[in-house]
Amino acid sequence: MLPFARVAIIGLGLIGSSIARGVRQTMPTVRLTGHDADPAVRAAAVTLDLVDDVADHPGAAVIDADLVILCVPVGAIGEAAAALAADLPADAIVSDVGSCKTEVARALAAALPDAMIVPAHPVAGTERSGPEAGFATLFQRRWCILTPPADADPAVVERVAEFWRRLGAAVEVMTPEHHDRVLAVTSHLPHLIAYSIVGTASDLEAVTESEVIKYSAGGFRDFTRIAASDPTMWRDVFLHNREAVLEMLGRFSEDLASLQRAIRWGDGDVLFDLFTRTRAVRRSIVEQGQDDAREDFGRAHQQ
Amino acid sequence: MLPFARVAIIGLGLIGSSIARGVRQTMPTVRLTGHDADPAVRAAAVTLDLVDDVADHPGAAVIDADLVILCVPVGAIGEAAAALAADLPADAIVSDVGSCKTEVARALAAALPDAMIVPAHPVAGTERSGPEAGFATLFQRRWCILTPPADADPAVVERVAEFWRRLGAAVEVMTPEHHDRVLAVTSHLPHLIAYSIVGTASDLEAVTESEVIKYSAGGFRDFTRIAASDPTMWRDVFLHNREAVLEMLGRFSEDLASLQRAIRWGDGDVLFDLFTRTRAVRRSIVEQGQDDAREDFGRAHQQ
């Protein structure tokens, strides 16, 4: 049995449009409605035939839905929820895909005090954005984390979990606070560092930006992929997971300072020991199917 | 006309074995000799048929060569050069593939005061190491930087350049000092940061290492690839390009601190502006063929 029959997607960018495509592929009888605040995205959604009905108003998209998924930047989630509150059916379940869960839970509860809310975070994405960037298999073999409130009905949580499993994801449940610490280290801090180093590299005087680009195959290019991610989404992530990000950043800065000291004093053993330890982490990630085992990411070395 | 007829490769790991394979493919009439300090690597080189003759002593490998390429970690280069000095033909050109050039030039000049030396750095590699990891096309569409001494014979430099062009690389010439600053930012700093964040992530108490691995698709996994690079090689890089690495690290830490401040004070504009700027750098790298344009590196989302 399908977990939901009428799904409304609010926000039709990379994630929203991938959910729509995934539903079409794995749950073809589901009636899909959608809305995006940007008229150009709505027009693209019509052209791409992402959903059965693209509504000009969020209320019109959700009025008959049994699942509403907010796929907007976390800073816009409270406003997006408020805009559809009056039209939300009493038995609809509301979810989202935001990368920070404590603030999102707060914003959703404030905007929709009577709704059944099961926040979700599919840990998947690419550096592209917009409705054209989505694809149906984005969530396959990826994790989707649910952070239901402590008093959530287990049957409701299970329906949302089943929805994500149908899209190909494996589901985990945790508290929003724990989610935010885990993601601060596995996602938010890496993005912040990547953005930062790409900024540093383009501001140098002694080395030109064209040299940085030319010789990027030495390692730098790996950072630029995630530093090409959507600016609005990521600004919001850092502003809404402030505490956990600052905590992880503090630890990282300490560790980096101790490497700096080892380099300054020529302490090769400190460097060698760390570099040996980090190799094992990579091995585990590849073994668990969370990254591509092909060397150098299978990048082409031939024309 | 071939630039060289008899090439000796000292050190048969990822880079040395890739050169050997590339020479076999693009300059099949060249006579190839090789040596590695590790008997197990020498045995593997015989099994893999990497070169025409695997010598047990570096002197025996170079005695008839017109090009000798030292493919050893930069910390071992002086010793490796000294070990073959007595057998080096007077007209042989000596080169290397080290990632730091100022210290390498000093070490080579000290060990081989009368030799013609043209240091080289092919900006290419993967996270794998050892003779099995090499492949003939590793250098194709990559840059190879030559850092000849100021008084080098241009004809000699051109022969080395032509050798690398035959292996598929594009060649640039610069001073060792400028090379070391360029690579500090495009390669050494990214590796240091990647090693550091992987270390930070595995040392947390509130988030387990298995959670870090499980949710690594959020961005963290991109860092683990380069943090799986050869520990000995990279220890040596940091110890031998100390000044440039510390300078770039200082700038990076400053920039990161200013992002930290923007997050703490909720200054979204600072974040948004940087995140928009960094996107353009990525675009240039892809346009110039220095990275794969496939979204998410073309990682498989399906089984």
Side-chain angles (χ1 to χ4, degrees):
Chain A
M1 222 187 69
L2 285 173
F4 300 99
R6 297 172 310 279
V7 175
I9 302 171
I10 307 299
L12 294 165
L14 169 67
I15 302 296
S17 75
S18 293
I19 294 174
R21 288 176 168 97
V23 168
R24 279 271 163 92
Q25 202 168 90
T26 62
M27 296 170 265
T29 57
V30 164
R31 182 171 152 77
L32 269 176
T33 53
H35 168 76
D36 195 287
D38 181 346
V41 173
R42 292 203 296 272
V46 170
T47 309
L48 294 164
D49 192 28
L50 288 179
V51 295
D52 299 314
D53 186 42
V54 179
D56 284 341
H57 186 275
V62 306
I63 197 149
D64 195 35
D66 53 3
L67 174 65
V68 175
I69 313 178
L70 295 158
C71 305
V72 300
V74 291
I77 213 156
E79 204 180 326
L84 56 79
D87 296 296
L88 189 70
D91 61 347
I93 295 169
V94 176
S95 189
D96 76 308
V97 295
S99 305
C100 338
K101 306 277 49 148
T102 314
E103 291 269 335
V104 160
R106 205 172 295 158
L108 286 178
L112 306 168
D114 303 319
M116 286 182 289
I117 299 169
V118 181
H121 177 204
V123 185
T126 75
E127 63 277 25
R128 309 251 169 119
S129 15
E132 295 83 2
F135 50 97
T137 56
L138 178 62
F139 311 109
Q140 287 190 8
R141 301 181 68 208
R142 294 291 168 258
W143 290 95
C144 183
I145 302 173
L146 306 185
T147 59
D151 61 352
D153 176 351
V156 165
V157 176
E158 174 51 28
R159 282 172 70 197
V160 177
E162 178 59 20
F163 178 81
W164 282 103
R165 284 192 289 263
R166 298 241 176 178
L167 294 180
V171 174
E172 275 290 350
V173 175
M174 58 179 76
T175 66
E177 294 74 23
H178 189 63
H179 168 280
D180 285 358
R181 300 186 81 165
V182 171
L183 271 290
V185 66
T186 59
S187 179
H188 307 170
L189 181 60
H191 275 81
L192 190 71
I193 288 168
Y195 280 124
S196 189
I197 189 176
V198 175
T200 303
S202 36
D203 287 342
L204 297 171
E205 318 82 41
V207 178
T208 67
E209 187 164 318
S210 77
E211 285 177 314
V212 168
I213 289 162
K214 207 162 158 179
Y215 304 115
S216 59
F220 181 72
R221 62 178 178 178
D222 277 24
F223 290 67
T224 63
R225 189 188 71 80
I226 60 177
S229 302
D230 186 63
T232 306
M233 173 192 156
W234 282 98
R235 176 200 61 199
D236 284 5
V237 166
F238 296 119
L239 298 181
H240 291 85
N241 194 20
R242 190 183 310 207
E243 272 175 57
V245 168
L246 289 176
E247 184 198 327
M248 296 304 170
L249 187 51
R251 284 169 182 257
F252 169 75
S253 297
E254 272 173 36
D255 292 346
L256 191 61
S258 94
L259 288 185
Q260 184 168 4
R261 193 173 186 284
I263 293 172
R264 195 178 299 282
W265 292 95
D267 188 345
D269 291 345
V270 166
L271 302 175
F272 186 84
D273 291 347
L274 172 67
F275 300 173
T276 305
R277 200 152 62 85
T278 53
R279 240 181 173 180
V281 175
R282 173 71 184 170
R283 212 159 26 230
S284 304
I285 288 176
V286 169
E287 276 165 14
Q288 295 192 18
Q290 291 306 307
D291 207 352
D292 200 313
R294 289 172 300 168
E295 65 195 5
D296 199 16
F297 289 134
R299 283 169 171 130
H301 280 268
Q302 280 182 285
Q303 209 106 26
Chain B
M1 223 187 69
L2 285 174
F4 299 100
R6 297 173 308 281
V7 175
I9 302 171
I10 307 298
L12 294 165
L14 169 68
I15 302 295
S17 75
S18 293
I19 295 175
R21 288 176 169 98
V23 168
R24 279 271 163 94
Q25 203 167 89
T26 62
M27 295 170 265
T29 57
V30 164
R31 181 170 154 77
L32 270 176
T33 52
H35 169 77
D36 196 287
D38 181 346
V41 173
R42 292 201 297 273
V46 170
T47 309
L48 293 164
D49 191 27
L50 289 179
V51 295
D52 300 313
D53 185 43
V54 178
D56 285 340
H57 185 276
V62 307
I63 197 149
D64 196 34
D66 53 4
L67 173 66
V68 175
I69 313 179
L70 295 158
C71 305
V72 300
V74 292
I77 213 157
E79 203 179 326
L84 57 78
D87 296 294
L88 189 71
D91 62 347
I93 295 170
V94 176
S95 189
D96 76 309
V97 296
S99 304
C100 336
K101 305 275 52 147
T102 314
E103 291 269 336
V104 160
R106 205 172 295 156
L108 287 178
L112 306 168
D114 302 319
M116 285 183 289
I117 299 169
V118 182
H121 177 204
V123 185
T126 76
E127 63 277 25
R128 310 251 168 118
S129 15
E132 294 84 3
F135 50 98
T137 57
L138 177 62
F139 311 109
Q140 286 190 9
R141 302 181 67 209
R142 295 290 168 257
W143 290 95
C144 183
I145 302 172
L146 306 185
T147 59
D151 61 351
D153 176 352
V156 166
V157 176
E158 175 50 30
R159 282 172 69 197
V160 176
E162 179 58 21
F163 177 81
W164 281 103
R165 283 193 289 263
R166 298 238 177 180
L167 294 180
V171 174
E172 276 289 350
V173 174
M174 58 178 76
T175 66
E177 293 75 23
H178 189 62
H179 168 280
D180 285 358
R181 300 186 81 165
V182 171
L183 271 289
V185 67
T186 59
S187 178
H188 307 171
L189 181 59
H191 275 79
L192 190 70
I193 288 169
Y195 280 124
S196 189
I197 189 176
V198 176
T200 303
S202 36
D203 285 343
L204 297 171
E205 318 81 42
V207 178
T208 66
E209 188 162 319
S210 77
E211 285 177 312
V212 168
I213 289 163
K214 206 161 158 178
Y215 305 114
S216 60
F220 181 72
R221 62 177 179 178
D222 277 24
F223 290 68
T224 61
R225 190 188 70 81
I226 60 177
S229 301
D230 186 63
T232 306
M233 173 192 156
W234 282 97
R235 177 200 60 198
D236 284 5
V237 166
F238 295 119
L239 298 181
H240 290 85
N241 194 19
R242 188 183 310 208
E243 272 174 57
V245 168
L246 289 176
E247 184 198 327
M248 297 303 170
L249 187 51
R251 284 168 181 256
F252 169 76
S253 297
E254 271 173 36
D255 292 346
L256 191 62
S258 93
L259 289 185
Q260 184 170 3
R261 192 172 186 284
I263 292 172
R264 195 177 300 282
W265 292 94
D267 188 345
D269 291 346
V270 165
L271 302 175
F272 186 83
D273 291 348
L274 173 68
F275 300 174
T276 305
R277 200 152 61 86
T278 52
R279 239 180 175 182
V281 175
R282 174 70 184 172
R283 211 155 31 227
S284 304
I285 288 175
V286 169
E287 277 164 15
Q288 295 192 19
Q290 291 306 306
D291 206 354
D292 201 313
R294 288 171 302 165
E295 63 195 5
D296 200 16
F297 289 131
R299 283 169 172 128
H301 280 268
Q302 281 181 285
Q303 208 106 25

